Amino acid sequence: MSETDSHAVAAPREIELKLDCAGPDLTALAAHPRLQGSEGSEPELLVSSYYDTAEQDLRAAGLTLRVRNQGDRHIQTVKAGQGGVGLFDRSEWETEIAGEMPDPAAWAETAADKVLRKADAPLVKLFSTVVTRRVIPVLQGTSRILVTLDEGRVESPAGDTPICEVELELADGEPADLFALAQHLAETVPLRLSATAKSSRGFALVDATSPSSVKAEPVVLPEGASVGDVFRRVARACLRHLRLNETAFLAGHAPEALHQMRVSLRRLRSALSLFAPMLETDPRAATFGDEIKRVTEPFGHARNLDVFLGHTLPNLAKERPDDTDLTAVRELAEAERAKAYDAVLAILESPQWRGLIIDFAGWVEAGSWAVQDAAAEDGSTFAARVLDRARERLKKRGRGLKKLDPHTRHRARIAAKKLRYGAEFFAGLYTKKKARRRQDKFGTALSDLQDHLGALNDLETARTMMESLGGAPMPGPDDASTRELLIEAAEARAELLDVKPFWR
């Protein structure tokens, strides 16, 4: 369902910033100086039941339906989507009803009505949340913010999972103040931007899934979006991609979660580069790009070791069954990877990392770039100009691809990657059938080129790593497999340049 469809009925908006923490940290947070001196509410027990059809039609449409018991009151709420990681800017329809079961009359004027009429199926309770809540009003800057401390659990037939959240709701004022207050609170306890709503935790129980790696999702763009709106949605999507995989990596140290974290960061840095003409009046844009690159440098080394141990060495073992040195190389590589993973974990657990992500998210929502005239330009006009430039850069850097040295070839690979990310970021602006067909052809050709250039880069990285680990040298850059990949890459580049740009 498109965003337009899901918001067919005008709805009130809520703007809230959600942060995750651990139970003991929540207790410590309650004593934070910024939360003292204001008369907060008495702790209150909230029991919320989430309903859907057996086929989960509401969930498929990006909607949730819950009934919350609040003392003697019953509040029915329909919510549409979640605007992005941390900052939840959603359509919400809230109505007090007579009993504990959902009331069709209360959802009649909401986005859920159309979905449930079409499904024509009874509702079932999927899970509940049981939360002790305390709300504390805080003045920050020119804003009045409600700080909510939630601790409890999600209950379902499949089991339970804990909830420990801090929510900052903008009662009155500016979104920037939400993030300023979040940074103050994060000085006391470890807080991370939340990537999931309570309902998402419940659905994970229903699905019997644990945190796992996820790929980037398409960026939903409204028709006629300004370039500023496009950038904000792209950045939110990148942050969500990052936080979901960060959670998965912290839970199980899965190599694929690390890989997807790196992808999300590359996409984020590519977005800062692609949108640079709009962001150039805001000096923080370049600062963020440099800082993210500096802080996450160890991620690349860890990922290279994953590829070396997971792909390069197994392939070499097949090619060199009598090479007894490979066992020693593997042991050295595993020890090096353990150190690299420790470095990644140290970064993710550091207050500097958590603060950087909160700071960046706040800048995305309320940076000075957003009020500049450049941000109001038509998104499609901006996209066409940027994509033309990215395509021309790839065309130039890929000339004579078969004869390029590894360093120059790597620059062509980066240009291809940036073009691909740009094409994905702006795809939602071009929805006509002709443009969609061209997108498919363009994406396939660009993916082929990236695959070949990526394979060449992996070979170069493997040669360097084998040398550093003291193993027998791998075939040089002039071996048959490298020459074949170069020919295939050059052909893929030619095919890509023959595809008509979907943005024209």
Side-chain angles (χ1 to χ4, degrees), residues 152-172:
R153 64 192 180 276
V154 182
E155 298 179 346
S156 80
D160 298 352
T161 190
I163 294 173
C164 189
E165 285 183 348
V166 180
E167 176 185 306
L168 310 183
E169 182 176 355
L170 188 64
D172 180 55

Side-chain angles (χ1 to χ4, degrees), residues 468-489:
S468 70
L469 294 170
M474 294 179 60
D478 294 324
D479 72 297
S481 59
T482 299
R483 289 196 301 272
E484 183 178 350
L485 279 172
L486 284 169
I487 292 171
E488 291 172 345

